[in-house]
Amino acid sequence: MKTIHCAAVDLGATSGRVIVGSWNGRRLDLTEIRRFPNAFHDLAGRAYWNLGGLWHEVRTGLIEARKRFPKLASVGIDTWGVDHVLVDDDGRLVYPPHAYRDSRTRHGLKRLGNTRAALERVYQATGIPNVFYNTSLQLEETVASSPAVADSATRCLFLPDYFNFLLSGRMENEISMASTTQLLDVQTGDWSRATLDHFHIPPHWFTKPIKADTVLGSAKCVPELKGVKVVAVAGHDTASAYAAMPTTGDGDDLYISSGTWSLVGFESDAPLLGPDALAARVANERMGDGRFRPLTNVIGLWLLEQTLRDLDQRPCNDREWAALVAQASERPAPTRLLDTSDPAFVNPKSMRAAVDAHLKKLRQPIPKDCAGYVRLICDSLGRGHAEVAATFQRLSGRAFKRILMVGGGSRNTLLCQATADAAGIPLHAFELEGTAVGNIASQLVALKAVKNLAAFRGLLARRISPRIHEPTSR
């Protein structure tokens, strides 16, 4: 089989990358083409994404990928969930792209949370709990604050959909991204008209979501990419990361995609619904093929990264990070841990100050240096992961035998060990660009270079070896 080259554009809330995967039928080799920072920006008290800057980075990276791999076959794009753009028939932006951490949804969040009957109806319809970043709340606020947008906008595209449009000229909503919105019908896979009406969102802004592995056509809007196919992959980065999990497929594996957020969940043919699931804030998001991936968000490396920003001794490269984690591992375990679900950690002006305030409430000592904060935060995140694992075992009736972790956290040995210890089951850490690998897997299926996702996972599992963290007693 000839080698096939696919470009994965993976956009996260704090960084983006363009990676080319070269597949020869048995082995996948990755080449990083471009990596760049990303951040939202405050303007007059509101948080916005710089989409023009992101598109410049994406376009530049893809052009460079084509230069280095002249036979580049395809490109796929994934991003973080829930965020979106509103466009007219020509694809022009008609409303500024807010970032999901903007506080504008607080009123709607509180109102829905305080209306038990409505909250239960929305959850039963969509399988998504009431969370501040939901697209439903964002769009509700948009329509309420700017009613004219209901007439000026004709489509709502989620960020991967929008970048796919910029490449291919085709507007589609992909199912894994659509499932993050709290607007998709959990039973049918189409939009929930009752939920759209509840949030006063125009139904004509959406079309029925397509599944991943769909070829949208050749790139038309970037001349340097002529002939390169644009593939709608699992556009939500968590769905792509889950697709890369080298699971056995027997249902005994729990997944953690560890990055800005820790997305803890598993794969299922059916959603996990009901009052207990709602109380546990289980989000029934979708895989690219339409199956479910019940999960819960645990604040992730955002907590660690933002805390260390306020410290002079913070690490600046991989070597320094490894040394800091090793130093933190030698510190004694904290007697009490942070409640990682505390809303104070969502987007404070100073994360270190928020952590210190939390500790003062617990009457616990404040760490004196970076290593002390790292130990505290990693142990706290590990417990957060374990609590979600226990909840899923109780609600689903499954007995998970191991945890599979990909993403930035998989390289943090302290975090991995803390998770294994708290959960009481082995954790297999895979140091691979999980989201990019899942993105590329979707392209290979679309190009018919691989039969299906299960076949790709089987081949991948033979080629990579995890670092296994067995639970220990402390």
Side-chain angles (χ1 to χ4, degrees):
M1 178 180 178
K2 67 178 183 178
T3 299
I4 297 176
H5 306 290
C6 304
V9 177
D10 174 27
L11 302 179
T14 57
S15 67
R17 58 206 63 81
V18 177
I19 294 175
V20 170
S22 300
W23 175 255
N24 67 3
R26 298 179 306 278
R27 177 185 176 89
L28 179 66
D29 293 314
L30 301 180
T31 303
E32 183 176 297
I33 303 297
R34 188 174 183 85
R35 187 175 289 261
F36 45 89
N38 184 31
F40 59 84
H41 301 279
D42 288 333
L43 183 63
R46 294 300 180 195
Y48 301 96
W49 295 112
N50 177 10
L51 289 193
L54 270 181
W55 172 240
H56 168 76
E57 295 287 358
V58 169
R59 187 176 181 278
T60 301
L62 289 176
I63 292 173
E64 177 62 23
R66 184 65 182 278
K67 289 179 180 178
R68 294 176 62 176
F69 296 90
K71 294 184 179 181
L72 187 67
S74 61
V75 56
I77 299 177
D78 66 78
T79 78
W80 63 95
V82 304
D83 283 343
H84 54 277
V85 297
L86 296 175
V87 299
D88 64 14
D89 287 334
D90 295 325
R92 291 183 296 181
L93 299 177
V94 299
Y95 199 79
H98 282 271
Y100 65 85
R101 290 187 187 272
D102 194 302
S103 63
R104 67 191 179 121
T105 61
R106 287 179 181 174
H107 179 70
L109 178 74
K110 184 177 181 180
R111 184 176 64 254
L112 181 58
N114 290 338
T115 311
R116 186 68 189 182
L119 179 63
E120 291 177 349
R121 285 197 305 271
V122 169
Y123 188 72
Q124 192 62 28
T126 68
I128 302 296
N130 188 31
V131 187
F132 73 92
Y133 49 67
N134 284 343
T135 314
S136 55
L137 297 175
Q138 292 195 51
L139 289 176
E140 179 185 45
E141 192 278 337
T142 295
V143 173
S145 62
S146 305
V149 77
D151 295 322
S152 57
T154 57
R155 287 298 304 273
C156 178
L157 297 176
F158 306 102
L159 295 190
D161 305 333
Y162 180 61
F163 287 115
N164 284 337
F165 163 72
L166 293 179
L167 286 170
S168 70
R170 181 172 165 183
M171 296 187 191
E172 297 285 357
N173 294 128
E174 184 273 327
I175 194 165
S176 72
M177 279 298 294
S179 72
T180 70
T181 63
Q182 202 186 39
L183 296 171
L184 196 70
D185 190 303
V186 72
Q187 301 297 341
T188 69
D190 204 346
W191 302 101
S192 169
R193 181 58 185 264
T195 307
L196 289 168
D197 289 345
H198 174 84
F199 290 107
H200 308 291
I201 299 170
H204 69 268
W205 282 357
F206 308 94
T207 56
K208 184 174 182 178
I210 61 172
K211 291 183 179 181
D213 314 339
T214 298
V215 178
L216 299 176
S218 296
K220 298 178 180 178
C221 305
V222 180
E224 294 88 344
L225 300 179
K226 182 179 180 181
V228 177
K229 293 181 178 178
V230 181
V231 177
V233 301
H236 187 204
D237 52 9
T238 307
S240 277
Y242 275 31
M245 296 288 186
T247 179
T248 59
D250 57 10
D252 294 336
D253 293 331
L254 185 77
Y255 304 158
I256 301 179
S257 175
S258 174
T260 301
W261 292 94
S262 286
L263 292 308
V264 187
F266 61 100
E267 292 180 35
S268 175
D269 291 332
L272 200 60
L273 299 171
D276 289 343
L278 173 58
R281 303 170 70 83
V282 175
N284 290 279
E285 297 179 0
R286 302 279 189 129
M287 298 288 288
D289 60 10
R291 290 179 299 128
F292 295 92
R293 46 182 179 84
L295 59 82
T296 294
N297 282 12
V298 178
I299 191 169
L301 297 178
W302 168 264
L303 180 60
L304 180 60
E305 292 165 352
Q306 295 300 305
T307 298
L308 295 188
R309 282 182 61 184
D310 294 336
L311 295 166
D312 294 334
Q313 306 91 351
R314 62 186 180 275
C316 298
N317 53 52
D318 290 345
R319 180 181 58 80
E320 292 179 0
W321 266 107
L324 177 58
V325 169
Q327 183 183 1
S329 299
E330 298 298 322
R331 297 295 175 88
T335 55
R336 294 191 67 180
L337 301 175
L338 303 174
D339 176 4
T340 54
S341 65
D342 190 331
F345 298 139
V346 170
N347 189 27
K349 292 182 178 179
S350 168
M351 189 68 79
R352 181 186 182 185
V355 170
D356 291 352
H358 191 92
L359 290 171
K360 288 180 181 178
K361 290 181 182 178
L362 298 175
R363 297 183 179 178
Q364 294 299 301
I366 294 172
K368 297 179 180 180
D369 56 14
C370 279
Y373 280 103
V374 171
R375 180 61 193 254
L376 171 69
I377 291 171
C378 287
D379 279 13
S380 300
L381 292 177
R383 185 183 67 175
H385 295 159
E387 289 174 346
V388 174
T391 297
F392 279 136
Q393 291 194 131
R394 175 174 57 85
L395 294 179
S396 69
R398 300 189 185 199
F400 298 111
K401 296 180 180 178
R402 61 179 187 168
I403 299 171
L404 309 185
M405 180 186 282
V406 298
S410 67
R411 295 186 289 273
N412 185 324
T413 56
L414 177 58
L415 175 61
C416 292
Q417 191 61 53
T419 301
D421 290 343
I425 55 177
L427 183 145
H428 293 223
F430 295 91
E431 293 190 19
L432 76 162
E433 291 277 1
T435 306
V437 170
N439 180 320
I440 292 165
S442 186
Q443 295 181 59
L444 292 171
V445 173
L447 297 175
K448 303 188 184 307
V450 176
K451 181 179 180 181
N452 52 36
L453 179 58
F456 177 84
R457 282 171 160 171
L459 292 167
L460 180 66
R462 299 174 194 169
R463 295 285 178 178
I464 57 175
S465 298
R467 187 181 61 253
I468 300 175
H469 297 262
E470 296 286 350
T472 59
S473 58
R474 297 184 180 182

